[in-house]
Amino acid sequence: MSKQLTVITRATLLAAALVTSALTAHAEQNLTPAEQQTAWATKQIAAQPDDPQPHVDLGWALARRARETGDPAYYAKGQEEASRAIAMSPGNFEARKLEAWLLLGRHEFGRALDAAQVLNRQAPDDVMVYGFLADASAELGEYKSAEDAVQWMLDMRPGNLSGLTRAAYLREVFGDVDGAIDLYTTVFDRMSPLEIEDRAWILSQVGHLYLSIGKTPEAGQALEQALKLMPDYHYALGYLAKVRLAENRPADAVTLLRRLCDVAPHAENLYVLAEALHRLGSAEARTVDADFEQKALAESETADNANRELVFFYADRRSLGGEARRIAGLERAARHDIHTLDANAWALSASGDHARARVEVEKALAVGTRDATILYHAGVIAMRLQDRASAQAYLGQSLAVNPLSSVADEARRALNRLTAQARQ
């Protein structure tokens, strides 16, 4: 048994032991941490109507509620509170920090980076601002800048949990999944059992990471623990549905995804529900596909969108390479993280531009990522360019990383075709 597996098993067992006491306290108060913070800040505003700080506190609570529920409307409400605080106290640093965080929540990453850089110049010793720099830089694909910001966080305050969670994410991007799991486990072990949503989020990330390397039992265990903490937690529902698909249990996946779409009816969730329905052989899949397309197109030119899913929808389900390329271009103009590069590469290849597609996918892989889907796409693009050796290498790596990925069957079939051609 690996060190990482031992650690996370210990963590999830610890979670199980703590769930009862945490849920008991939660049931007594009947409020989530964000709702408790909202109630407290609202009372403070009533008691101190001329003080900007309670408005900032309420804004943070609303932003936290957005993550608890997956409802972006809370970010807009949070911005209203930030604006009120700034109206009372122009240039209020804490309110400006809240605004930067809300920009990140709304996926306005370029503006968030600009705001964080201004804040960093004003207060170069603020650890939270370095976290904003790391988040925005990573989402834009500026991974060296993100890494530098995280290092500042850990140098200034060694072992701080916010820095460790961001370091874990970067380890995943750079291809060190075991290291990412190890760091998330460290954070989980040190986090208060009363931080219910934060703990559920950590367990959801661990489940996602285990799923990414084909360890579905470990993934399922972590995600089920997350759902014990928060029964309708949108992150955990989505990842657990993908675990069930990897286990070839599409009916169970559909059940989870219907719950997910009830609590977070976003386009990207409809996309996965349609995938599960296709796997199940349900005629309803076409209806959900149409709902997804309509909703994704409506938001395609906004910051918070489902453009990557829309690219794969057009490239794979509709065989519309031109549309896939158009949507990919919108996203590529705004950011160049590994997943956007991959989506753009797939769209370029779907539209027949395999040479440019190869350049894009190799940019994504150059970061060090060990994502099975990106490796599969690289393999198919190499096949289309008649580069048999590279195709075999990439497809083999995809299967080695995750033999249960959503593209594993296609990767095996492609490898078999290449092997048969080599024998002829």
Side-chain angles (χ1 to χ4, degrees):
M1 181 176 290
S2 70
K3 175 185 176 184
Q4 288 74 24
L5 179 55
T6 303
V7 171
I8 197 58
T9 299
R10 175 170 55 83
T12 49
L13 288 174
L14 176 62
L18 292 170
V19 162
T20 301
S21 61
L23 288 181
T24 299
H26 172 63
E28 290 173 353
Q29 296 167 342
N30 201 31
L31 295 173
T32 69
E35 288 173 323
Q36 293 174 42
Q37 188 178 352
T38 297
W40 179 86
T42 301
K43 290 179 182 178
Q44 293 299 111
I45 290 172
Q48 306 170 49
D50 298 326
D51 187 350
Q53 188 56 46
H55 290 282
V56 175
D57 295 336
L58 179 55
W60 281 110
L62 291 165
R64 190 174 189 184
R65 185 65 177 150
R67 196 173 84 161
E68 283 185 350
T69 63
D71 185 352
Y74 285 105
Y75 290 124
K77 294 177 182 178
Q79 181 58 54
E80 291 175 4
E81 297 305 318
S83 297
R84 290 188 179 105
I86 291 168
M88 293 178 183
S89 174
N92 185 295
F93 186 76
E94 293 303 315
R96 295 296 183 189
K97 284 170 64 175
L98 171 60
E99 284 192 317
W101 181 250
L102 294 168
L103 286 169
L104 288 167
R106 296 196 300 266
H107 293 192
E108 297 183 45
F109 301 121
R111 290 182 61 199
L113 181 59
D114 291 342
Q117 289 171 337
V118 171
L119 293 169
N120 183 243
R121 288 192 291 271
Q122 292 176 355
D125 60 346
D126 191 301
V127 173
M128 182 181 288
V129 171
Y130 278 105
F132 300 162
L133 289 170
D135 292 342
S137 296
E139 292 292 348
L140 292 169
E142 301 289 346
Y143 294 117
K144 180 61 170 65
S145 296
E147 188 176 23
D148 290 344
V150 171
Q151 192 60 59
W152 272 105
M153 295 180 76
L154 295 173
D155 288 345
M156 293 170 68
R157 193 179 299 167
N160 75 85
L161 301 189
S162 293
L164 290 176
T165 57
R166 289 171 169 89
Y169 173 72
L170 289 177
R171 284 197 180 183
E172 176 190 358
V173 170
F174 297 152
D176 182 8
V177 172
D178 286 343
I181 291 171
D182 200 4
L183 281 176
Y184 279 130
T185 302
T186 297
V187 173
F188 185 91
D189 286 348
R190 292 172 51 189
M191 187 175 288
S192 167
L194 298 179
E195 296 292 346
I196 296 172
E197 191 272 336
D198 288 329
R199 292 170 71 79
W201 185 84
I202 293 293
L203 288 168
S204 297
Q205 299 311 304
V206 168
H208 153 70
L209 288 169
Y210 273 127
L211 175 62
S212 76
I213 54 176
K215 294 186 176 181
T216 54
E218 294 86 349
Q221 181 187 26
L223 294 164
E224 286 163 3
Q225 290 294 342
L227 290 171
K228 286 180 181 178
L229 287 168
M230 297 189 71
D232 287 320
Y233 193 46
H234 55 109
Y235 291 114
L237 286 171
Y239 288 139
L240 187 57
K242 292 181 180 181
V243 171
R244 298 298 178 245
L245 286 174
E247 295 171 335
N248 198 27
R249 296 165 58 184
D252 292 336
V254 167
T255 299
L256 289 163
L257 290 164
R258 290 194 195 282
R259 285 173 60 190
L260 174 61
C261 289
D262 284 342
V263 299
H266 306 316
E268 60 266 29
N269 296 334
L270 289 171
Y271 177 81
V272 185
L273 174 58
E275 177 188 354
L277 289 166
H278 280 295
R279 289 273 299 274
L280 195 59
S282 170
E284 185 189 355
R286 292 185 179 183
T287 301
V288 178
D289 269 341
D291 291 344
F292 160 74
E293 183 180 15
Q294 181 181 33
K295 195 163 192 173
L297 282 173
E299 64 187 30
S300 62
E301 297 194 31
T302 66
D304 191 356
N305 58 57
N307 282 350
R308 292 198 295 247
E309 290 82 2
L310 195 55
V311 166
F312 297 126
F313 174 80
Y314 282 133
D316 297 332
R317 293 187 195 167
R318 289 288 187 267
S319 299
L320 296 173
E323 276 301 288
R325 186 169 182 167
R326 182 182 71 82
I327 298 297
L330 293 175
E331 200 69 1
R332 183 66 171 87
R335 55 200 294 210
H336 48 276
D337 61 289
I338 58 172
H339 300 293
T340 299
L341 291 172
D342 172 54
N344 192 45
W346 199 235
L348 287 167
S349 187
S351 66
D353 196 345
H354 309 309
R356 285 185 60 195
R358 182 169 194 163
V359 171
E360 283 287 274
V361 78
E362 287 182 350
K363 284 180 185 176
L365 292 172
V367 174
T369 181
R370 301 289 296 164
D371 184 286
T373 299
I374 298 176
L375 288 164
Y376 165 73
H377 288 159
V380 172
I381 291 166
M383 283 179 64
R384 291 169 178 171
L385 289 167
Q386 306 301 313
D387 183 352
R388 183 181 299 167
S390 294
Q392 287 178 316
Y394 284 135
L395 294 169
Q397 289 170 38
S398 176
L399 289 168
V401 167
N402 186 358
L404 300 176
S405 76
S406 60
V407 295
D409 289 342
E410 291 90 339
R412 289 188 187 92
R413 285 193 287 269
L415 266 178
N416 289 338
R417 288 196 299 271
L418 289 170
T419 300
Q421 291 170 7
R423 290 172 179 167
Q424 291 175 357

